[in-house]
Amino acid sequence: MIRRVLLLLALLSVALAGGTAHAAVEPDEILADPMLEARARGITRQLRCLVCQNQSIDDSNAPLAKDLRRLVRERLKAGDSDEAALGYIVARYGDFVLLRPPVKSTTWLLWYGPAALLIAGAVFLLLRVRRRERAAAPAPLDEAEAKRVAALIAGEPRSPRREGAP
Amino acid sequence: MRLRYLIPGIVFALLGAGLVYALMTIQSGKKNPATVPSALIGKPVPEFVLPAPAGFPQGLSTADIKGRVAIVNVFASWCPPCHVEHPLLLDLAKDKSVLLVGLNWKDKDEKLAAWFKEAGNPFSHIGADRDGRVAIEWGVYGAPETYIIDRAGKIVYRLAGPLTEQLLRDEIRPLLARLKQ
Amino acid sequence: MIPELGHYALALALLVAAFQSLVPLIGAARGDGALMASAAPAAQSQFILVAASFAALTYAYVTSDFTVANVAANSHSAKPLLYKVSGVWGNHEGSLLLWVLILTLFGAAVATFGANLPPALKARVLAVQGMIGLGFLAFMLFTSNPFLRLDPAPPDGRGLNPLLQDPGLAFHPPFLYLGYVGFSMAFSFAVAALIEGRVDAAWARWVRPWTLAAWGFLTVGIALGSWWAYYELGWGGFWFWDPVENASFMPWLVGTALLHSAVVVEKRDALKSWTILLAILTFGLSLLGTFLVRSGVLTSVHTFATDPERGIFILLLLIVAIGGPLLLYAMRAPALKGGGFFKPISREGAMVLNNLLLTVAAATVFLGTLYPLFLDIVGGGKISVGAPYFNSTFVPLMIPLLIAVAAGPALAWKRGDLAGVLTRLKLAFAAAALAVLIALWRNDWRDAVAALGIGLGIWVIAGSLLEWTSRIQLFRVPVGDSLRRALGLPRSFYGMSIAHAALGIVVLGITASAAWQTEVIQVVRPGTSIQVARYTLNLRDVREIRGPNYVAQQARIVVHEAGAASTAAPVTVLLPEKRRYPVEGNNTTEAAIYTTFFADLYVVLGDPDEKGGWVIRAYHNPLVPWIWGGAILMFFGGLVSLSDRRHRVGAPRRSVAGEPEIAAA
């Protein structure tokens, strides 16, 4: 179940990772093999351009971005998997180059925070609802009161101590 | 006052304290939000061999650096801050017990030769990294950058940006003194 | 002379703000009518003074008075007039002046149109506005004075970033500030209510129009910024989760929650402490945004040049302005007991869910934006948080929210019948399911996530439509009756329906353009053609042209429908450019965009190769115009709601032709 949720989330981030961002890829960089090229584009969209403001190396026309795009394609042609190609760049530039922060102990709060907050909020609200309903619900009747209610419903004299007239 | 109404205030107080601390840390210069730390600190020097640029005697390779306390400076003739830090490099070159070498990043040989003919050459070796591939192995993302390597061939320090008198005095020279022991 | 007058006006405004902060509050505490009544003229004169100051700065820009340091740093005599004017707020000091102008504008508006407000409430609201104004005016006068002089004056200015010389961007800050700063009204009302110790339907009726207006403006401001980025930056994205974009998005999210919460206070006398808290948080997030942009803790395309003391000043302002009210909240909010009891499944319950999801969404954006900073500060290393993080965390939160948007308005107040509502919405569900199937089928059964997005968009639109048809009992009563009902429905209902449907349209636009973009990147020789989606693009030539302050290479691209004869009339001629601005030494690319109702054809001119060819990047972005169209429609929905007469009547009144308590089945 968790696996499926995580897979869905990963799919979401890849599906939307493109946005409508337009590539800075030059025609001479594009690989002949479309599958490899598609993988390269997917990888370069996840790498931050270090000399730009908030762009991926796929979007940026900075020279460093171009060099790294070529490098990624070289690694893929050499047979690297996607993780290996990404890992190659991260080994040299550090975690900062990843636009998707790695899931480590230092980023647990970042990754699990939103879900934790949602659950905490939902629990808090449900408890409040529970408390309010309990407060609004009247206390159950005790025996004497129950008898009086029964008597009233049957139409008998109001007070058991009064005798005679209805 | 009921406890749960205090929660927003407490969260905000923590946030405020965090931001004050962050601002103070940045302003004291201890942390710079704009620079990227090197991923290679503590790792061995990458393996590479580079030819010398035309007109210079010695190329640069890993073998040249190993076994000595060394400074590797990434520079280019097209990079203005490199020109600004040049005199400081000439000064560093005077210490013969430290190897000072240059990685010429994506440059044109003639332009480099013209510049150094004017300004002087502080490096005992220069590697011409014309396509930038070796620089990527070092995790270079801009020029100038300066790396300091210890005797065991491990990278122990990386400066992204030009050298300054203050940095030399407060960080680099003390570090070099420690490494030389 | 004029700049000095502007400076003097600012200083006077500071004094008036100090008066306005203190005297009416004392009057309200003592019940002194005269002191309380001093708030309105104070607010009005503060506005006049700040407006005069703003006019003075604008005058300096328009006349290119380079003896004023701010003008010399940010303007140039060769700039077109429109951009000389927009340059006034294209820098730190000038944008602060715009901020304060709008703050005092709102204060003056309450002072002038607030005849129906109870005097004590009005006095307190204006006093809080005054305090905010005091803080910002002090900030300007002590650290960010736009009227500083330069001696000797330079012969010409340093110019303005050519990226900012654009009509879309000229209007982006004013709308954004009308939004950000507009939320200060809700904030002031909230703090005034806490001081008074009372929140009632009358208060909510007062807060709602101001909040709606601010929300609407912020929506437009964000949309303008996004649209500008799309067509100007040449890499065609429309949202980058950049820290400063996030800083404007967080108040929007919480502001939307506030808007809905205020409705519940007004109609059901419930959710009072939620609403107060949201009002404080929304403006707090606006202030936080101001801090982030100007303090240097975050680097971004948007940040202004920074200065240490500015950062500290704004941070202190932020802490006092939000910390104080939150403390007051902790003390006074427990006493704000609501009257309306409601079951979890009810319209109020849907609003609470709405509040929860929007607040967690805002917290998620907040976490992603500030986490790298805090982690670095405590020595945990440097990480970066980009679009992939937000796509994985923010987007899933929107799914239950969008589902609720269609169901919520159909639920009854107090006690709703969920099963009944869902049954009524089965047509909407069918439409959504059909849309999902069509989307999947047209894309070879891939892109499940995108299909889900389409389904959600259709669900929201169909849900809004169905709510309307059920209220007018369409096809269940004679057409004439339905028509009469339709005309009798309150405008706030139509506003809501339009805004919700517009949200669905935005979702459709975002999903389609993100998932089904067509991209062609090729070297093209003049005289040859390329194929993009249903179009054939023929590059005629590339020539050099001159603009007012730039030189450009302009390509002429003739566009035909694919398969049409080349002699047939072209669909359009596109003229993408690469510009060089000599004064600033910058280069920009101007994309050429052909917009139809269903898509954009977006073409960018790249670099030439040595053989006379040019790199052409051409994109077909389906449904992208719906993103901005939808945002404008949302704003329009807000306007329709605002025009509801009941909002213009200050005192609480039972609505005669109000929405039925329980929507008829």
Side-chain angles (χ1 to χ4, degrees), chain A residues 20 22 25 41 98-99 106, chain C residues 235-236 371 384 386 389 519 617:
Chain A
T20 52
H22 295 167
V25 173
R41 295 292 297 278
L98 287 173
L99 282 171
T106 49
Chain C
W235 60 79
Y371 200 84
S384 90
Y389 169 80
E519 173 187 78
R617 297 166 202 283

Side-chain angles (χ1 to χ4, degrees), chain B residues 130-151:
Chain B
R130 296 192 188 97
D131 61 2
R133 192 64 187 74
V134 172
I136 291 182
E137 292 300 311
W138 285 75
V140 170
Y141 71 96
E145 284 183 15
T146 302
Y147 295 78
I148 299 184
I149 294 120
D150 70 4
R151 280 223 187 85

Side-chain angles (χ1 to χ4, degrees), chain A residues 89-150:
Chain A
I89 311 268
V90 173
R92 285 149 184 77
Y93 287 94
D95 283 340
F96 186 74
V97 80
L98 287 173
L99 282 171
R100 181 193 185 75
V103 184
K104 302 178 167 168
S105 55
T106 49
T107 59
W108 279 345
L109 179 58
L110 178 67
W111 278 106
Y112 301 125
L117 255 172
L118 185 63
I119 294 172
V123 165
F124 174 75
L125 287 173
L126 280 171
L127 284 179
R128 275 191 64 189
V129 168
R130 199 76 55 82
R131 206 181 310 146
R132 203 149 28 115
E133 287 194 334
R134 231 180 298 132
L141 301 172
D142 65 25
E143 235 190 86
E145 291 172 331
K147 275 220 195 112
R148 267 175 52 198
V149 169

Side-chain angles (χ1 to χ4, degrees), chain A residues 8-28 30 37 41 45-46 48 53-55 58-61 69 94-102 104-115 117-126 128-129 132-133 136, chain C residues 230 234-238 240-243 245 273-274 299-301 303 340-344 352-353 356-357 360 363-364 367-368 371-372 375 380 382-389 391-393 395-397 399 449-450 510-511 513-515 517 519 521-523 602 604 607 615-617 619 621 624:
Chain A
L8 181 66
L9 287 179
L11 265 176
L12 259 171
S13 66
V14 170
L16 298 167
T20 52
H22 295 167
V25 173
E26 299 284 335
D28 53 359
I30 299 180
E37 176 64 20
R41 295 292 297 278
R45 275 196 207 110
Q46 296 180 54
R48 179 179 281 275
Q53 301 282 20
N54 214 34
Q55 282 178 277
D58 187 61
D59 297 333
S60 162
N61 54 10
R69 283 198 301 265
D95 283 340
F96 186 74
V97 80
L98 287 173
L99 282 171
R100 181 193 185 75
K104 302 178 167 168
S105 55
T106 49
T107 59
W108 279 345
L109 179 58
L110 178 67
W111 278 106
Y112 301 125
L117 255 172
L118 185 63
I119 294 172
V123 165
F124 174 75
L125 287 173
L126 280 171
R128 275 191 64 189
V129 168
R132 203 149 28 115
E133 287 194 334
Chain C
Y230 171 76
W235 60 79
F238 56 84
F240 307 91
W241 297 106
D242 179 83
E245 287 176 324
S273 58
W274 256 114
T299 49
S300 149
V301 263
T303 50
F341 173 74
F342 57 88
K343 301 224 80 174
V352 172
L353 177 67
L356 175 67
L357 287 169
V360 174
T364 305
L367 198 58
Y371 200 84
L375 190 64
K382 222 166 177 141
I383 59 159
S384 90
V385 175
Y389 169 80
N391 290 334
S392 296
T393 52
V395 174
L397 283 170
I399 297 174
V449 174
I510 293 178
T511 308
S513 60
Q517 178 190 66
E519 173 187 78
I521 304 180
Q522 273 182 34
V523 178
Y602 185 111
V604 177
D607 292 321
V615 174
I616 299 286
R617 297 166 202 283
Y619 302 89
N621 296 324
V624 98

